[in-house]
Every structure is written in structure tokens, then in C-alpha cells.
Amino acid sequence: MSRSRLLNDSDDTRSNLSTFPTSNFPNVTSSTSSHLNRDTITPQILQKGAGAGAITAFAFTLNYIFGAGVLSLPYTVARAGVIGSAVFMLFTALISSLSMVWLVEVCGRAEAITRYVEELRIEQKSDSPLRTQIIADRLEIQGKDLFRISSRRLEMNQISSLFLGYWPSWLYSTSVIFYALGSMWFYAVIFARSLTETVPLSMFVDSGDHCDLSVPLYETTKECYHNYFFYLGIFLILTMFLSLFELAEQKKLQNSLSIMAMTCIFIMIITLVVEAIQHPYIAGNDNRTTPTTPTAPSSSSLPSPLTTPLLRGYEPPVIGISIKDFGDAFMNFVLAFMAHHGVPGLIQLMENKKQAPKVFVSAMCVSCSIYLVLGSIAALYFGLGKDGIKSLITLDWYNFNGSSNPLSDGNVFTKSISYIVRLYPCVSVIAAFVLNADTLGSAMRVMLFSNPESQTLKVASRWVIVWISISCAALMTKIAVIVSICGLAGVNLVMVFPSLLQIYSKKRCYELFERHATPYTGFFSADVYPYLML
């Protein structure tokens, strides 16, 4: 049955469609829909985006994914098992790729339904009879082109409201809030902790002293405590400033941060491989132990972490799988591949939105490859135990000296590498922090305000979120707890909601338009796959 005929069949049908669940959030439909010119809407206009290419979108996606997951993942691999972790990382990368592609399809279906409801409401307000065909029947938007994504940005909680209803949409919003705030809390801790342990300020800490924030804040020294809060304040000012800008205005910044992050990760992998080849640990024949009559090292010449485990004995990581540690490990794997809540914003960066699935899958593949290489090599080289791998992997490069003598001070080159690696988290978390602030701010505005596009409201919402997350970082710094909180919410965002949205969006679109295939639909779009994921 044509949709035009459906509209003319009865007033009751029109009334039911006009109350489609777009009212669950104030801004699901455009506030300017009354000016909609239906006769001039073409696929070219629908395809109009922010003008960014695939490379920029790829960089943004990598910044979303990497965040800080890459920093805590090697520690997880060492405890949960190298082989088991590799298998489950591949599995998590696969399901994350699938669910991100499904969300692209869902965004296209949500766009079609939203515009359909807008046009219906315009016709209901008009005294004249229906003059033109509705969106589903116009010649210029036939077949899959009906579900092209326009320049309008619909947030995932709005889309959940469209297809799943009121309470599921609020459950989604709750998951996003927990995940995004937890991640930003994590990033703030990592920024302040990395700087405090790498460049302690003389105004707080005496020259040569070293702050160890692996312990709770209240157990550290007063000097280190004040140093941590100083850097946390710098992070607050920096992120508040960056939150003034829209994502499209951050292209150069995000591209630069992505290049810097990849460079640092490359340096970490290369130095690990070189150390493993030049100074391997041989069980029962450790020729790199402390000399017979060593002089106790001062705090300013602590042994290199790349050789520290060999001073007091090397404890190998779990090679197979540790069942008791795998619950927390899976949460970390989910966190390490998270970018799903940012899909609407990432899509809007692309001029050619058909490239979105390829961009997202490519970013997942690159991330998974880096995680596998860095996580496995670091876990095998550092091992476990008191002096083994750190919960924040970059801290294992403390005083890296490139020598078989753990008491060597190294040279300018090795010291530079040490600082570059240990300061990498500061680069990585700034990029991801700002992206999460934008996503969470946008999601909360459409829930609470009828005019969420106000620039003042945009900035204010981001600043509120920045303050909340950094306040959490001022109270607690235990990384394992924060990762668990993020991981629990991440399961909903990666597996549950993308599957439900894929299933129900197809059903709803078939009911209204008698089709649901989008320009982004592929082999894994069949219903069997989201059902299997659920």
C-alpha cells in the first residue's frame, strides 16, 4: 500500500502516526520543520555533511577508541592470559565493528522516519489537501536512498526513543552517562597521575623525589597530593577551553593528537622489541642482576622499569587463560573498543557518509592490531609480581636507559624516549576527553531542553560534565575500579542496544515504508547476527 493512500485512509491513522515516539525527547524533530520544502529535497542535499574526509573521520574514531584503553590493557593481558586475551580481543573487535556498522544503518532509518513525521505534521497543520507525495514515495528518494543520512545530528538516545520507546531510551541514556563520565574520570586521573609521576614540580616535591600514585590519594605524601591537584587544575582549564569548540572546528587538533598518539605507541612497541632482543631474560641464568656489592640507588637514579623485574626476580604472566581474572578483563576489552556512543557525531564529520562503515571497521582493525602487539609483548616482557607490569603501562618506562645495567642513568636519547612515552597519556586522554564531553553534553541536552542547539547551552553542558568528571578524579584514583564501572555500561552500548536498535528499526521501517535496506546495509545486516549477539 502506498504511503499516500495510507495517509488518506483515515483521520485515526494520521493521528496515530503524528504521535510517533519522537515526543519522548524535545528535539527529535527539527524546530524548523515548518519551513521544510519537500519538493526540493534531493539525495545530494541529504548527503551534505561537515566536509571532512575519511582520514579525518578515521583519526576521530581512533581517538575515541584509544582514549586510555590502550594504557591499561597490557596489565589486563598479563593477568588474564596472553592467549586467552588475544582470542577475546579479536572477538570483541568483531562484535564492536558489527555493532558500529549497525548503528550507521539505524541512523539512516531514524532520519527517514523523523522526516516522515515532520512532513505528516506539516500536512496536518495545512488547510489545503495533500499536494505532493510524502518522502517514501518521491521519485528522487527511491529504494535505499530513502535512508540516506542528512546533515541533521540525531543522538543515540533520541534514536532509542524512536525505535524502542521511552524507558529503554532512558536506560540507554543512563548507560551513556555512566560510561562517558567514567571514561572522563579515568582520563583526568591518568593526565594528572602521569604528569605527577613524570614531572613532579619543585614547588611541591623536592628535586629527585618520586611520587607513586599507585596507592590511594590519602596514603600518598602531602607534597605528591598537592602536585596531583595542581595538574588536575591545569587539565580542568585546558579541557574547558577546548570544550568551547564544536567537533568540526577540532579537525586539526584531533588529527594532530592522533598522529602524536600513534607515534608514541610505535615508540613503545619498538623499544619493547629492541629490549627483548638485546636484553632477554633467561630463567636460571639472569646475568642482569645487581652487582655483588651494589651501592643503594638514590631516588633520583632508580633502576629502569624495563630491567627492574630482573633485580628481584621475574614472574611470568599467565600464558593461557586465568578464569578468575577474566570477568574484569572482558570489561577492559569492551572499554578498549568503545566508540559507539559517538557514532552520530562521527558520521556528521564525513562528507561522503557511505564511507562510514569502512572507516569504523578500519579503525577497529588498526586498534585491535596495536592492542594485540603491544599487550602481548609488554605482558611477556615485564611479567607480573610487585616489580612487574604496571596498571598504567607507560609508567614502566620510568628511567628507561636502554642498557643491561639497571643502575645506568642512560643518555639524552633514552631519557627523551622515557619522557615521550610517559607523557603519551596526556596527549591521548585530552583528545578522548573532549570528544566524550561533546557526546555526553549533546545527549543530555536533547533529554532536558527544547532548544538544545543554543551555543551557550552547548558550552554550559560540556563544562558541567567536565567539572563533574574532574571532581571524581579528585576523590579517587583507583584505575581498576573506574575501568569496571565503564565496562559494565559499555556492554549495553556495544552489544545490547545496537542489536535491539538494528532489529526494531528494520521492523518499524518495513511497517511504514515496506523496505528497510539502507545504503550502508551489508552481509552482516541480516537479523540472525543481532539475535546472536543478544
Side-chain angles (χ1 to χ4, degrees), residues 26 115 124 208 275 306 360 367 389 511:
R115 297 196 61 252
Q124 288 179 326
E275 281 293 305
L306 291 182
F360 295 156
S367 302
I389 196 165
E511 291 170 0

Side-chain angles (χ1 to χ4, degrees), residues 60 96 119 173 241 451:
F60 271 71
S96 296
E119 294 194 358
S173 298
F241 171 73
N451 181 25

Side-chain angles (χ1 to χ4, degrees), residues 245-395:
F245 304 98
E246 299 299 313
L247 288 187
E249 299 171 329
Q250 298 180 27
K251 292 175 188 176
K252 291 183 179 179
L253 171 67
Q254 293 290 340
N255 282 333
S256 300
L257 292 176
S258 183
I259 292 171
M260 292 170 66
M262 294 297 290
T263 302
C264 291
I265 291 173
F266 180 75
I267 290 173
M268 292 168 68
I269 293 173
I270 292 299
T271 52
L272 271 174
V273 171
V274 170
E275 281 293 305
I277 293 173
Q278 290 189 343
H279 313 127
Y281 171 74
I282 303 174
N285 185 27
D286 182 6
N287 60 357
R288 293 191 296 165
T289 53
T290 310
T292 307
T293 56
T295 303
S298 67
S299 57
S300 60
S301 59
L302 289 175
S304 165
L306 291 182
T307 54
T308 296
L310 309 180
L311 291 173
R312 301 177 184 173
Y314 172 83
E315 181 181 336
V318 177
I319 300 299
I321 185 171
S322 171
I323 300 299
K324 68 181 179 66
D325 292 312
F326 223 82
D328 290 338
F330 185 70
M331 296 300 177
N332 202 332
F333 297 152
V334 170
L335 174 64
F337 290 99
M338 268 293 299
H340 300 65
H341 58 303
V343 165
L346 292 170
I347 292 175
Q348 291 310 316
L349 289 171
M350 303 183 211
E351 184 172 356
N352 183 2
K353 292 173 172 49
K354 285 187 178 181
Q355 294 180 321
K358 291 182 180 179
V359 167
F360 295 156
V361 172
S362 299
M364 287 292 175
C365 290
V366 169
S367 302
C368 185
S369 301
I370 290 173
Y371 289 157
L372 285 171
V373 173
L374 179 61
S376 300
I377 296 176
L380 290 168
Y381 187 80
F382 292 119
L384 292 170
K386 181 180 179 182
D387 299 305
I389 196 165
K390 303 289 190 299
S391 59
L392 196 61
I393 182 64
T394 52
L395 297 179

Side-chain angles (χ1 to χ4, degrees), residues 167-203:
W167 291 112
S169 67
W170 278 93
L171 178 59
Y172 181 89
S173 298
T174 302
S175 298
V176 169
I177 290 170
F178 270 99
Y179 171 76
L181 279 179
S183 298
M184 293 168 69
W185 175 5
F186 186 22
Y187 301 152
V189 168
I190 287 176
F191 181 92
R193 178 178 170 182
S194 296
L195 284 172
T196 299
E197 298 194 21
T198 304
V199 234
L201 300 173
S202 57
M203 70 176 98

